[in-house]
């Protein structure tokens, strides 16, 4: 089954053609990062307008790169992120996807952006052996999820304040390192001493919820008191605190639930320290570790098409009056089975 996926929930305009959830025939991502850098974060109005300007070219390029044309021949369904995200941004992709699905006479599949990240590790290797524990870490979310089958999952915990990526972005801004913070802190951390400063690890050892706002405040206070310390050491110590608490909770959840594997998803899953630490811990625990390719960690449309494929039978096609929902959540604190609340 060949699915055209579309993603416009935040600041990437993306389209991809994916067959059977893992053969990526094309994946085009047009990042708007340059437009938002001067403001130190994503400006919703600018994001929406840029999506409008780019969507048609991005979708066309995805179709042509996959050896297809704009007639829809060979496409079995059109999938698009319907939430969560910025409403003005979501609406561009959703309207475009619905129009194409209607014109081509194929189903429209509305996708939860977090489920797209959840299925992104299986673009590389589509063998889902449940139970498995996935840590979703992005700019907007930090959630620990237990998959009990390819389509049933339960949320074990999440952040009570900032998302991990948000902490990276805020700390980078406060250290004057620019936006987005994740990649630059990751790079600096590689040449710093992770033991230079002991930063607090919020909610460590306590359930499966996360807290990063205390850590952020602590980094700011430390920087004010020690302005001459090499920024690499501060970056490495901050990253060590984030990675340590993320890995500790993920591995504890995996052991507690008898998981066969651990997975990462979301933009922060591109982090070198986090990838190395979770892979090492999983190996010691005799579990498999699924890491999406770095390009599939940050927002893209291949993961949207993949999630639509994995969930097509349980969720069914979405009606063409399905709204964009900026506040869409992962289902449950409770087992999520059956139809999606699209
Ligand atoms: O998944 P994503 O592209 O968008 C959301 O759905 O939020 O994630 C973006 C987030 C940003 O906060 C960015 O700083 C972070 O992912 N990020 C990283 C790295 N690359 C991106 N964080 C840590 N290390 C990285 N290498
Ligand atoms: Zn995302």
């Amino acid at each position: 089954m060949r699915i055209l996926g579309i993603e416009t929930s935040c600041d990437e305009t993306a389209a991809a053609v994916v067959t059977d959830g893992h053969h990526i025939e094309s994946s085009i991502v047009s990042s708007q990062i340059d437009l938002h850098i001067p403001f130190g974060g994503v400006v919703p109005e600018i994001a929406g307008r840029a999506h409008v300007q780019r969507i048609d070219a991005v979708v066309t390029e995805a179709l042509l790169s996959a050896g297809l044309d704009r007639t829809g021949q060979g496409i079995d369904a059109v999938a698009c992120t319907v939430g969560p995200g910025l409403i003005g941004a979501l609406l561009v992709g959703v309207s475009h996807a619905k129009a194409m699905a209607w014109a081509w006479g194929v189903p429209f599949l509305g996708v939860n952006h977090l489920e797209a990240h959840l299925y992104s590790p299986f673009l590389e290797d589509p063998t889902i052996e449940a139970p498995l524990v996935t840590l979703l870490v992005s700019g907007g979310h930090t959630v620990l999820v237990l998959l009990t089958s390819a389509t049933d999952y339960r949320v074990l915990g999440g952040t009570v304040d900032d998302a991990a990526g948000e902490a990276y972005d805020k700390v980078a801004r406060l250290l004057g390192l620019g936006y987005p913070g994740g990649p630059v802190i990751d790079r600096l951390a590689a040449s710093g001493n992770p033991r230079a400063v002991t930063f607090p690890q919020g909610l460590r050892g306590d359930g499966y919820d996360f807290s990063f706002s205390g850590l952020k405040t602590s980094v700011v206070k430390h920087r004010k008191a020690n302005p001459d310390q090499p920024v690499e050491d501060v970056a490495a110590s901050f990253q060590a605190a984030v990675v340590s608490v993320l890995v500790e909770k993920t591995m504890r959840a995996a052991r507690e639930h008898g998981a066969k594997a651990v997975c990462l998803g979301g933009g922060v899953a591109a982090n070198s320290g986090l990838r190395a630490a979770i892979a090492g811990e999983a190996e010691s625990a005799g579990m498999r570790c699924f890491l999406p390719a770095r390009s599939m960690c940050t927002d893209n449309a291949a993961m949207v098409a993949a999630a639509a494929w994995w969930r097509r039978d349980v969720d069914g096609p979405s009606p063409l009056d399905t709204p964009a929902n900026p506040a869409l959540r992962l289902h449950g604190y409770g087992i999520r089975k059956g139809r999606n609340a699209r």
Side-chain angles (χ1 to χ4, degrees):
M1 182 181 194
R2 188 187 273 137
I3 298 180
L4 168 66
I6 296 178
E7 158 64 42
T8 63
S9 66
C10 192
D11 60 343
E12 263 96 26
T13 316
V17 175
V18 180
T19 299
D20 295 342
H22 67 287
H23 291 299
I24 303 174
E25 296 183 46
S26 64
S27 178
I28 308 298
V29 180
S30 170
S31 173
Q32 306 176 0
I33 212 90
D34 295 352
L35 300 179
H36 302 290
I37 280 174
F39 305 94
V42 177
V43 182
E45 177 66 19
I46 293 176
R49 285 170 189 264
H51 286 308
V52 171
Q53 285 162 354
R54 300 174 184 197
I55 185 82
D56 195 46
V58 168
V59 169
T60 301
E61 197 180 336
L63 290 168
L64 297 183
S65 308
L68 302 168
D69 58 25
R70 288 169 53 102
T71 63
Q73 278 273 320
I75 294 287
D76 300 305
V78 181
C80 181
T81 299
V82 294
L86 304 168
I87 186 64
L90 287 166
L91 280 169
V92 178
V94 170
S95 314
H96 203 88
K98 286 178 181 172
M100 296 191 103
W102 179 77
W104 292 345
V106 296
F108 167 64
L109 306 173
V111 171
N112 181 321
H113 182 79
L114 296 172
E115 288 184 351
H117 281 301
L118 192 63
Y119 287 98
S120 64
F122 310 115
L123 281 162
E124 293 271 300
D125 182 347
T127 47
I128 298 188
E129 277 183 83
L132 56 86
V133 167
T134 298
L135 173 69
L136 291 186
V137 267
S138 70
H141 304 271
T142 299
V143 199
L144 203 52
V145 182
L146 172 70
L147 266 110
T148 49
S149 77
T151 49
D152 299 331
Y153 65 78
R154 183 151 61 99
V155 175
L156 299 173
T159 182
V160 297
D161 41 53
D162 292 347
E166 194 178 354
Y168 266 95
D169 294 337
K170 285 180 177 169
V171 163
R173 187 158 57 221
L174 295 164
L175 295 178
L177 301 173
Y179 172 84
V184 59
I185 290 184
D186 195 6
R187 202 173 55 246
L188 290 170
S191 53
N193 174 9
R195 288 185 205 85
V197 195
T198 305
F199 286 123
Q201 297 176 22
L203 301 180
R204 169 115 195 184
D206 186 18
Y208 293 126
D209 284 337
F210 300 91
S211 168
F212 293 106
S213 75
L215 168 60
K216 174 193 65 193
T217 309
S218 173
V219 175
V220 176
K221 278 193 183 153
H222 178 86
R223 190 67 183 158
K224 276 199 184 131
N226 303 274
D228 300 326
Q229 185 173 30
V231 73
E232 289 83 357
D233 287 351
V234 181
S237 301
F238 163 74
Q239 179 150 307
V242 174
V243 167
S244 175
V245 75
L246 290 175
V247 171
E248 187 271 325
K249 289 192 187 234
T250 306
M251 293 309 299
R252 181 155 48 82
R255 275 190 285 270
E256 186 168 308
H257 292 92
K260 294 185 178 146
V262 289
C263 306
L264 294 181
V268 183
N271 186 268
S272 323
L274 178 59
R275 293 171 81 88
I278 199 105
E281 291 287 326
E283 194 181 352
S284 314
M287 292 175 201
R288 291 185 69 190
C289 179
F290 289 83
L291 303 178
R294 281 170 197 261
S295 60
M296 294 297 148
C297 291
T298 45
D299 289 348
N300 65 87
M303 67 180 189
V304 174
W309 184 80
W310 282 103
R311 302 205 60 83
R312 70 201 182 285
D313 291 335
V314 279
D315 291 341
S318 308
L320 284 180
D321 61 357
T322 302
N325 181 354
L328 192 62
R329 291 169 49 125
L330 278 179
H331 287 258
Y333 295 84
I335 289 273
R336 172 200 192 314
K337 279 189 191 289
R339 287 192 66 82
N340 202 339
R342 284 174 175 164

